[in-house]
């Protein structure tokens, strides 16, 4: 059953009591009877477009904030010669520029699916996430190389008060941008935007490290500035690990196991569903798609089984946040013979040994 034909309603509402659930079902039936109910993919496109617009707005605002911060810091670097502040400036500039691939990804994600890209262009966000990880790694290499070079070729750092002010400005700007990006990324389900926010947060802490380097230099420790530059490199590597893990999981179709458990519980609560089989989910951009197997009574007609599948699909759209579509396959309770026998030789060896939902109803993992 194709989930693109139904719209989201109140996905994030808490569980209700049974009377409230019945009242809610009655309200939905009245709404469906009294208002036009479009059976088109456009209902889902609107939600994706809105998420993309919110992502673009976040990118533009953070680009301006980080761009101004980087320009101010670059002026102070030219005056002071601080290698630690140079590393921080490079990070801010790189972080601002990551808005470009992300912006392109959000724009691509708005394009409708076609016969070649049947799921649309949401995966462009995952590619943008890879570019962000590469950018973080490149900034770590540059920061390390600059710090080591300054240790080997010492140079006096001047205008320490200006360096300290630029460091504080960098921290405030980056932390604000980090919170904004992470909050928006989690709300719209964009792993790439969350990774970009983590990058900005690292730059904020590196700005504080620059402040410590300026303090050490003021106390007469001339190696403080490049040493802080090396510490900044370590901090970047830590965030690189987190960002890479976030993007890797998205590329590998990882989802929160709680979402799968919620889907199983929701399907089992639908009238007419005897048990559930396999449930799969994957992220496409910042929305989820699901495939689910349900078991119904073998004596039902095709129309009755289809009605249960529609109800199961609708329930999933209500219960799972960010779910945009669900395909529900109906199996039936045991009858003589295995209706899936013709498919067994196409399955991998490990799957062939497993009983089908018709002969045995698997419980969720």
């Amino acid at each position: 059953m194709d989930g693109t034909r139904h719209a989201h309603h109140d996905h994030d509402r808490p569980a209700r009591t049974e009377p409230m659930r019945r009242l809610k079902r009655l309200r939905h039936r009245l709404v469906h009877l009294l208002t036009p109910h479009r059976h088109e993919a456009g209902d889902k496109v609107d939600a994706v477009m809105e998420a993309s617009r919110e992502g673009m707005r976040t990118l533009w605002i953070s680009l301006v904030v980080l761009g101004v911060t980087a320009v101010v810091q670059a002026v102070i670097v030219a005056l002071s010669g601080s290698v630690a502040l140079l590393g921080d400036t490079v990070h801010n500039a790189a972080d601002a520029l990551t808005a470009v691939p992300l912006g392109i990804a959000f724009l691509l994600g708005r394009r409708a699916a076609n016969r070649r890209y049947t799921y649309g262009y949401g995966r462009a966000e995952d590619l943008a996430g890879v570019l962000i990880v590469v950018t973080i790694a490149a900034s770590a290499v540059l920061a390390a190389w600059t710090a080591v070079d300054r240790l080997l070729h010492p140079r006096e750092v001047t205008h320490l008060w200006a360096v300290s002010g630029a460091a504080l400005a960098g921290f405030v700007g980056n932390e604000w941008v980090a919170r904004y990006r992470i909050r928006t990324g989690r709300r719209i389900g964009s792993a790439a935007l969350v990774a970009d926010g983590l990058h900005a947060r690292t730059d904020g802490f590196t700005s504080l490290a620059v402040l410590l380097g300026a303090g050490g230099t003021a106390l007469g420790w001339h190696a403080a500035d490049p040493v802080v530059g090396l510490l900044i490199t370590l901090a970047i590597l830590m965030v690189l690990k987190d960002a890479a893990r976030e993007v890797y999981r998205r590329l590998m179709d990882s989802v929160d196991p709680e979402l799968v458990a919620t889907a199983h519980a929701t399907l089992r609560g639908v009238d007419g569903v005897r048990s559930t089989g396999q449930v799969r989910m994957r992220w496409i951009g910042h929305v989820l798609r699901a495939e689910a197997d349900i078991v119904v009574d073998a004596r039902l007609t095709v129309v009755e089984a289809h009605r249960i599948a529609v109800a199961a699909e609708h329930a999933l759209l209500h219960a799972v946040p960010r779910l945009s579509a669900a395909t529900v396959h109906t199996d039936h309770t045991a009858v003589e013979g295995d209706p899936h026998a013709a498919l067994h030789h196409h399955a991998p060896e490990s799957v062939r040994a497993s009983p089908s939902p018709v002969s045995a109803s698997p419980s969720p993992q």
Side-chain angles (χ1 to χ4, degrees):
M1 191 63 219
D2 188 358
T4 60
R5 297 181 294 176
H6 294 269
H8 270 292
H9 306 286
D10 304 323
H11 282 262
D12 298 318
R13 297 282 181 87
R16 300 167 182 260
T17 61
E18 186 57 31
M20 289 298 290
R21 290 196 187 98
R22 291 177 181 174
L23 182 61
K24 185 178 177 183
R25 284 197 295 268
L26 177 61
R27 185 190 67 184
H28 278 299
R29 289 173 184 171
L30 290 174
V31 169
H32 281 241
L33 286 173
L34 298 176
T35 61
H37 190 60
R38 289 177 19 180
H39 291 257
E40 298 175 351
D43 298 333
K44 296 301 176 189
V45 172
D46 290 340
V48 174
M49 289 280 286
E50 181 57 37
S52 296
R53 278 194 290 267
E54 188 173 359
M56 288 293 292
R57 184 167 57 249
T58 299
L59 289 175
W60 280 115
I61 293 174
S62 59
L63 173 62
V64 171
V65 172
L66 290 177
V68 171
T69 302
V71 168
V72 171
Q73 289 184 321
V75 172
I76 305 302
V77 168
L79 292 174
S80 65
S82 171
V83 69
L85 186 59
L86 173 61
D88 194 33
T89 304
V90 169
H91 304 156
N92 288 332
D95 198 23
L97 291 176
T98 56
V100 176
L102 261 182
I104 294 173
F106 282 135
L107 290 175
L108 278 176
R110 296 179 180 181
R111 297 181 63 180
N114 53 49
R115 290 190 176 184
R116 182 176 294 275
Y117 297 97
T118 55
Y119 284 95
Y121 293 80
R123 288 286 192 180
E125 286 187 38
D126 299 332
L127 295 178
V130 173
L131 291 177
I132 289 170
V133 169
V134 171
T135 301
I136 297 174
S139 64
V141 172
L142 179 59
W145 179 83
T146 307
V148 171
D149 181 71
R150 186 55 56 86
L151 280 173
L152 297 176
H153 307 93
R155 175 183 168 186
E156 183 181 0
V157 178
T158 60
H159 300 82
L160 293 178
W161 287 109
V163 171
S164 300
L168 286 175
F171 172 74
V172 172
N174 276 291
E175 182 60 23
W176 186 88
V177 166
R179 293 189 180 192
Y180 189 28
R181 286 180 174 177
I182 293 172
R183 183 171 62 247
T184 301
R186 287 176 177 166
R187 183 164 58 247
I188 69 175
S190 174
L193 193 55
V194 171
D196 214 17
L198 291 172
H199 188 192
R201 173 153 289 165
T202 304
D203 290 348
F205 287 116
T206 58
S207 294
L208 288 182
V210 171
L211 185 62
L212 293 176
T217 302
L219 294 175
W221 184 28
H222 297 295
D225 189 64
V227 167
V228 166
L230 290 175
L231 292 177
I232 287 174
T233 301
L234 292 177
I236 296 173
L237 291 176
M238 294 297 294
V239 169
L240 175 63
K241 181 194 69 173
D242 293 338
R245 182 175 60 223
E246 186 88 15
V247 173
Y248 167 79
R249 287 177 175 175
R250 184 60 58 89
L251 287 171
M252 293 297 293
D253 290 328
S254 171
V255 296
D256 186 350
E258 287 296 323
L259 294 178
V260 179
T262 297
H264 276 288
T266 300
L267 291 171
R268 288 196 299 269
V270 175
D271 291 339
V273 174
R274 295 293 187 88
S275 63
T276 57
Q278 192 172 53
V279 173
R280 293 179 178 177
M281 293 183 187
R282 63 165 47 171
W283 286 97
I284 299 178
H286 40 257
V287 295
L288 279 167
R289 291 186 67 98
E291 300 172 4
D293 297 337
I294 60 173
V295 179
V296 299
D297 195 316
R299 295 167 295 181
L300 296 178
T301 66
V302 173
V303 173
E304 291 169 334
H306 178 263
R307 186 179 295 116
I308 294 174
V310 172
E313 173 191 341
H314 201 182
L316 282 178
L317 292 172
H318 280 275
V320 180
R322 307 300 308 165
L323 183 66
S324 66
T327 302
V328 179
H329 171 74
T330 55
D331 281 313
H332 54 74
T333 51
V335 294
E336 184 177 352
D338 184 0
H340 296 142
L343 302 176
H344 285 177
H345 69 282
H346 291 285
E349 195 66 39
S350 58
V351 176
R352 294 181 202 174
S354 301
S356 69
V358 173
S359 58
S361 302
S363 56
Q365 297 298 320

